[in-house]
Amino acid sequence: MDPIRIAIVGMGKIARDQHVPAIRGNSAFSLAATVSPHDAGLDGVPHLASLDALLHDGPAVDAIALCTPPQVRYDLAVQALGRGIHMFLEKPPGATLAEVGTLQAQADKVGVSLFAAWHSRFAAGVAPARAWLAERKIDSVSIVWREDVRVWHPGQAWIWQPGGLGVFDPGINALSIATHILPRPFFLKDATLILPDNRAAPIAADLHFRDTGGAPIHMDLDWRQTGPQSWDIAVETDAGTLKLSQGGAVLHLPGSTDHGEDVEYPGLYSRFAALIRGGRSDVDTDPLRLVADAFLRGRRETTDAFHD
């Protein structure tokens, strides 16, 4: 079977650090091209300045990994889907829920695969955590996602703009895990969003959810963390405490700890290949829906201006 010819559109840090090695490590794919107006591309791989140039003058591709900021993703995705190209959407899958729903409808219409790729769901500890929790009674959940924005998102102005999500850009990773591992759906009760007075997106947030069985879920997001970083989910159950740390890579169960390997992006591309070969899509908007609810219902508070 011939490899799937894939192009990466948007050559930022995540594309270079994660997408390129994951594609090159998966024999189901061949990296056919890269696209970016601001990047020189990779040695030995055709590089184009725009998606228009790729579609009109570049090498033929079967699939695209769309790694641009979410605010500009919709028009690019529509253009590629119209050409019958399979689409991998980096998280978050779009700037709005309606955009993603429209893309899903178009993908279904033209018969190509659309993949809303939540990379944190493929962290090593997530699948066994989901299995362990499936038969447990959930008493409460604590999510603490605190990191230093200057380390992880230096100079990324788009992330502070409307649609960029601010601290929910990493926070949505935690929600993608929580919506996947918890056995019951949950919904927002109240939220406080902390916005720097020179930015349009929050630098911190405090959120209270409740699942359909009544269990409380508290989420603490902050981009002002220095020193050790925190990406932790703790679930109190009738059989003891489950904890996922390091963004889902390490699973702590009563009496055991499992340190997994970094398999997130290799797992994503294995899933994408299977979707394409099977003629299916995977578009889960639950994490984005919860973030949208936070912006819909959350109370805003202002803090000091933020400067990179």
Side-chain angles (χ1 to χ4, degrees), residues 80-160:
L81 289 172
R83 296 292 192 97
I85 295 171
H86 304 289
M87 185 65 54
F88 177 122
L89 300 173
E90 246 296 355
K91 64 88 189 174
T96 69
L97 287 160
E99 282 185 0
V100 181
T102 302
L103 293 178
Q104 183 172 8
Q106 180 165 355
D108 291 344
K109 181 178 180 180
V110 300
V112 298
S113 296
L114 182 67
F115 183 28
W118 301 107
H119 66 83
S120 291
R121 287 184 175 174
F122 290 81
V126 172
R130 175 184 168 98
W132 191 86
L133 290 171
E135 301 301 325
R136 304 292 190 268
K137 177 182 178 295
I138 309 301
D139 294 326
S140 65
V141 182
S142 171
I143 302 171
V144 179
W145 229 251
R146 288 174 159 254
E147 63 182 43
D148 187 343
V149 65
R150 292 184 172 91
V151 172
W152 299 101
H153 301 279
Q156 295 182 7
W158 65 267
I159 214 164
W160 295 103

Side-chain angles (χ1 to χ4, degrees), residues 140-146 165 167-179 182 186-194 204-210 215-222 230-234 286-288 290-291 294:
S140 65
V141 182
S142 171
I143 302 171
V144 179
W145 229 251
R146 288 174 159 254
L165 299 189
V167 75
F168 285 99
D169 181 78
I172 204 170
N173 295 333
L175 290 172
S176 75
I177 295 174
T179 53
L182 295 177
F186 61 94
F187 53 92
L188 185 71
K189 294 298 294 179
D190 63 74
T192 301
L193 313 183
I194 310 298
D206 187 79
L207 305 104
H208 293 269
F209 303 93
R210 190 179 72 201
I217 300 168
H218 178 241
M219 187 175 197
D220 172 16
L221 304 177
D222 206 313
S230 302
W231 301 289
D232 303 319
I233 299 175
D286 282 350
L288 184 59
L290 291 169
V291 173

Side-chain angles (χ1 to χ4, degrees), residues 253-278:
L253 293 173
S256 69
T257 298
D258 185 10
H259 296 262
E261 299 179 5
D262 182 3
V263 294
E264 291 185 17
Y265 279 83
L268 284 174
Y269 276 95
S270 293
R271 174 65 171 161
F272 190 35
L275 291 171
I276 292 171
R277 301 299 193 203

